[in-house]
Amino acid sequence: MRAIGIDIGTTTISAVVVHREQRRTETARTVSNGSFIRTANAWERMQDAEMIWQRAKAVLDELLDRYPDTVSIGLTGQMHGIVYTDRYGMGVSPLYTWQDGSGNLPYQDNMSLAEYVSAHYDIRIASGYGLLTHLYHCLNGKVPQAGVCFCTIADYLGMRLTGRKRPLVHMSNGAGMGFFDGRKHIFREEMIRELGMDPAFLPDLTTAFSRLGEYRGIPVTAALGDNQASCLGSVGMKENTLLLNVGTGGQISVLSDTCFETPEIEARPFAGGKYLLAGASLCGGRAYAILEKFLRSYVVAAGASDMPQYDIMEKLAAQGMAKESTAAVADGFISQAARGREQMVVCTAFNGTRADPQCRGSITGLTEDSFTPQGLIYGVLKGMARELYDMYEVIRRGTGICADSLVASGNGVRRNPVLQAILGQMFGIEPVLADSQEEAACGAAISSVGDF
């Protein structure tokens, strides 16, 4: 008795086969997404939805051929972004991803569209959220003529697999589109109308992991948001357990009975009436990739081969960590006095933050001794961790939730022992790596079973 889970990530598409009773991953398969569309506009981040569908279907078919006793298929994928569909359930647009920057473009009163909407309608919304992207398209005549609805890429996969003509979206994905009432689990249709958008474009919502239909005779359930899927696949429904995910982006999540929200923290609908309190660092693991690209460009300019620098960076980061005085560590923080003496401090908000899109990265505390490759590499890793820790502090102060365990997932932390050590020091809890390397896909498979 097996369930298959599929996760459509920004850079990869993953699928797992999970034994339903033992909750053990028997097989995992990952392929490159590779569907980004070149564009002349720097703020556009689009992917080819048809290419994603074809690649996801190929992986699924391969696993179904190997495991014909599969009894359910669960879905998840990158949140926030949207694909427009026509009245036949076919895609008529690219996937406008969560990285879409149209909401940060100048709009009115010296504010971006995201800032204007947030200020005038007293809601929290950021560029990349599907309904804000849709609003930009409405204002600029960019809604596809044949489009009648929109949904996330995982929901679109569910439509194509089952032949649905209209998307049925789980509330975890619906909330990620914005203009959503997390307590009532409905879209804010009155607000949507006031802004000139037609609520008819909104997908249908479900609060359960409803059955969408069948593919090759196997039930397919409504897609779960990737953050919630990762939590379900690595933490389950455990309370007081932090999930830190460092991949293309970065996220911190914890289960809560309270719908607690701030400019930094979202309360994402989950299951069983609970919420997942989540904070996202927009750069996340990409901050380290940006640094690697910087160092690699210097190496090439110096006449060496164009080779990945991660192995060397890991050695230098370990040296930078060893140099830092352990005497300055107190309650997970480095004292201000120590920072002022010898320590380089790196802010890795290269792409801004959800609360402040105009924020940018910085390097402070430079001295003759601290300005070294070791210090810079270690500082970037510490900056990545600090963004997540600061969001945890907001949650802790606002809800009283005090974590007693820490689960780390995502290749950005799984492959970086120095980052693991930094997280342990900063949070005061030794991180445990998630059992499965494909947590979101595993969570999708579990959601299709429904018993968790």
Side-chain angles (χ1 to χ4, degrees):
M1 299 286 284
R2 296 176 173 89
I4 291 179
I6 302 176
D7 172 28
I8 300 178
T10 309
T11 56
T12 59
I13 299 170
S14 301
V16 298
V17 178
V18 175
H19 192 285
R20 287 188 60 173
E21 292 181 359
Q22 300 176 6
R23 301 294 172 88
R24 172 174 48 86
T25 299
E26 296 189 350
T27 299
R29 180 89 165 86
T30 298
V31 299
S32 172
N33 185 317
S35 64
F36 271 109
I37 299 171
R38 291 185 180 275
T39 171
N41 299 314
W43 48 267
E44 290 180 325
R45 297 289 288 174
M46 300 182 296
Q47 292 183 324
D48 188 326
E50 182 65 22
M51 181 183 295
I52 292 173
W53 146 248
Q54 293 290 346
R55 292 186 176 182
K57 179 180 179 296
V59 172
L60 177 58
D61 284 338
E62 175 189 330
L63 293 179
L64 288 176
D65 289 342
R66 290 177 59 189
Y67 298 94
D69 62 342
T70 297
V71 295
S72 61
I73 299 169
L75 310 173
T76 188
Q78 49 180 297
M79 298 169 67
H80 309 305
I82 56 170
V83 178
Y84 288 97
T85 60
D86 64 15
R87 63 193 181 96
Y88 303 106
M90 300 298 290
V92 291
S93 78
L95 165 63
Y96 299 95
T97 75
W98 61 276
Q99 296 172 324
D100 181 86
S102 60
N104 290 333
L105 297 176
Y107 179 58
Q108 287 185 19
D109 304 331
N110 294 319
M111 290 188 287
S112 68
L113 183 59
E115 292 169 335
Y116 180 88
V117 171
S118 298
H120 287 74
Y121 290 87
D122 193 27
I123 63 170
R124 178 188 182 278
I125 196 163
S127 189
Y129 281 49
L131 267 160
L132 192 69
T133 302
H134 178 57
L135 176 58
Y136 172 82
H137 291 163
C138 290
L139 293 171
N140 292 275
K142 293 180 176 291
V143 177
Q145 188 172 7
V148 299
C149 197
F150 53 73
C151 61
T152 74
I153 187 62
D155 297 311
Y156 181 60
L157 174 59
M159 294 177 69
R160 293 296 297 271
L161 289 172
T162 61
R164 290 184 68 93
K165 292 181 172 56
R166 186 170 178 83
L168 179 63
V169 174
H170 187 263
M171 59 182 177
S172 58
N173 268 327
M177 295 179 185
F179 293 96
F180 193 84
D181 188 324
R183 289 179 172 83
K184 296 181 180 179
H185 301 154
I186 58 174
F187 287 111
R188 299 175 184 266
E189 291 194 16
E190 183 177 344
M191 193 179 295
I192 289 168
R193 285 192 185 92
E194 286 183 21
L195 282 162
M197 294 183 283
D198 183 357
F201 271 84
L202 296 171
D204 299 332
L205 286 173
T206 175
T207 59
F209 299 118
S210 302
R211 179 171 165 168
L212 300 176
E214 293 184 351
Y215 178 68
R216 290 174 56 168
I218 301 168
V220 180
T221 54
L224 178 64
D226 64 351
N227 184 206
Q228 290 90 333
S230 291
C231 185
L232 189 59
S234 55
V235 175
M237 301 297 285
K238 295 179 183 177
E239 298 183 348
N240 300 319
T241 299
L242 291 178
L243 173 63
L244 300 184
N245 181 276
V246 182
T248 306
Q251 285 182 324
I252 181 169
S253 312
V254 65
L255 201 64
S256 173
D257 295 320
T258 305
C259 183
F260 170 77
E261 292 189 299
T262 72
E264 300 92 351
I265 304 300
E266 287 184 76
R268 296 175 172 173
F270 194 18
K274 294 185 180 295
Y275 296 87
L276 201 60
L277 305 186
S281 56
L282 299 185
C283 219
R286 203 151 59 88
Y288 202 57
I290 291 169
L291 178 60
E292 190 273 343
K293 181 180 179 181
F294 167 78
L295 294 173
R296 189 193 293 205
S297 66
Y298 174 80
V299 168
V300 172
S305 300
D306 185 1
M307 299 286 290
Q309 300 298 303
Y310 289 111
D311 289 345
I312 299 173
M313 289 168 65
E314 184 178 332
K315 294 177 183 178
L316 293 176
Q319 293 173 14
M321 186 172 192
K323 185 177 179 181
E324 184 179 86
S325 173
T326 57
V329 178
D331 296 327
F333 281 103
I334 304 300
S335 70
Q336 293 293 334
R339 285 179 179 172
R341 281 201 306 273
E342 297 294 336
Q343 193 180 52
M344 180 190 303
V345 177
V346 182
C347 169
T348 53
F350 300 141
N351 296 328
T353 67
R354 291 287 192 206
D356 182 9
Q358 304 308 316
C359 177
R360 291 294 179 263
S362 64
I363 303 175
T364 59
L366 294 179
T367 67
E368 184 177 351
D369 292 331
S370 69
F371 190 37
T372 64
Q374 294 93 326
L376 178 60
I377 297 168
Y378 177 63
V380 166
L381 290 174
K382 197 160 190 180
M384 291 161 52
R386 188 176 297 112
E387 282 196 81
L388 297 173
Y389 183 86
D390 288 347
M391 286 183 268
Y392 166 61
E393 277 294 283
V394 173
I395 294 172
R396 186 185 63 81
R397 290 193 297 265
T399 66
I401 294 174
C402 292
D404 54 26
S405 58
L406 174 63
V407 176
S409 67
N411 288 334
V413 64
R414 188 180 294 277
R415 297 174 180 174
N416 200 314
V418 176
L419 180 57
Q420 295 170 27
I422 291 171
L423 291 170
Q425 286 186 356
M426 195 168 288
F427 284 83
I429 306 170
E430 190 69 23
V432 176
L433 295 179
D435 292 336
S436 171
Q437 294 192 33
E438 301 299 342
E439 299 89 0
C442 184
I446 293 171
S447 74
S448 73
V449 175
D451 181 18
F452 48 82

